[in-house]
Amino acid sequence: VNTARNLAQLTVDNDAVGATLTINGGDITTAILALTNGVVVTGSNTLIHNGTVTRTTGYVDGNLSRSYTAIDAYTYHVGQNGYSPVLASVTALGMNPSSLTVKPTDMTLPGLNAGVSASRYWTLTETGDLTADLAFTYLDADINGDENDYRSYKLSGGVITNMCAGGPCVNAGTNTVTVTGISDFSDWG
């Protein structure tokens, strides 16, 4: 990796069982990202992707970030112990550029009842000022209780807020929970 840690393209294609590529030594920025096979593990580092992406079965286990300079939709191909992407459809930019970083965690959002909650949550971190509609996709293995009763909860400053107070915001057929008009980012489950 060059000393600036900027790549024209990062391709991950290793179909060996349990194959991983670990990023060490700082953040890496890439214009083109190809997640063919295998898992990119970022640890405390961040993979910054500001270009085109293709995906077959690969994903990022850790921090995946994108800068926004215009209204745009982007799928964060993330997961931990399984692929659990987040689709962010940016609907407004208050500061240009702004960025959003997504990190998955394979456990129930702290403060929720694990017996009736998905055993997966995501940490979203914003730099700048943006508003987005979000779709979180969980795995069948994450389901505890009746997923038709699932809501999306935000954990911020130790306070849990039901972001679907009017009723379920889950599509049980696609294992997706959707929330709209979000401009305050933190932990989501």
Side-chain angles (χ1 to χ4, degrees):
V1 176
N2 62 50
T3 56
R5 301 186 65 80
N6 290 320
L7 307 175
Q9 179 169 346
L10 174 61
T11 299
V12 179
D13 188 3
N14 186 343
D15 60 0
V17 175
T20 62
L21 169 69
T22 301
I23 295 176
N24 287 316
D27 300 345
I28 290 183
T29 301
T30 186
I32 299 170
L33 179 60
L35 297 168
T36 307
N37 294 295
V39 178
V40 178
V41 179
T42 66
S44 62
N45 303 296
T46 300
L47 176 57
I48 303 162
H49 175 240
N50 292 322
T52 59
V53 63
T54 57
R55 176 187 179 274
T56 306
T57 62
Y59 58 88
V60 176
D61 179 349
N63 297 305
L64 178 59
S65 185
R66 182 170 186 87
S67 294
Y68 294 90
T69 58
I71 305 303
D72 192 14
Y74 180 76
T75 299
Y76 290 81
H77 295 290
V78 297
Q80 187 178 64
N81 299 318
Y83 179 62
S84 53
V86 175
L87 171 62
S89 299
V90 174
T91 58
L93 277 174
M95 181 182 290
N96 186 351
S98 292
S99 68
L100 190 62
T101 301
V102 175
K103 178 185 177 191
T105 302
D106 183 18
M107 63 183 269
T108 302
L109 182 70
L112 294 182
N113 179 342
V116 295
S117 302
S119 57
R120 183 166 305 274
Y121 74 92
W122 300 262
T123 300
L124 279 66
T125 307
E126 171 195 36
T127 301
D129 181 22
L130 59 83
T131 302
D133 298 340
L134 304 170
F136 301 93
T137 302
Y138 53 92
L139 304 169
D140 284 337
D142 297 332
I143 299 170
N144 299 296
D146 183 357
E147 74 180 299
N148 291 303
D149 290 334
Y150 279 7
R151 309 289 192 273
S152 181
Y153 290 90
K154 178 178 76 167
L155 174 60
S156 181
V159 176
I160 295 178
T161 305
N162 180 350
M163 300 304 290
C164 300
C169 54
V170 64
N171 180 328
T174 61
N175 292 3
T176 304
V177 176
T178 304
V179 291
T180 60
I182 304 303
S183 59
D184 183 22
F185 301 91
S186 57
D187 293 337
W188 293 78

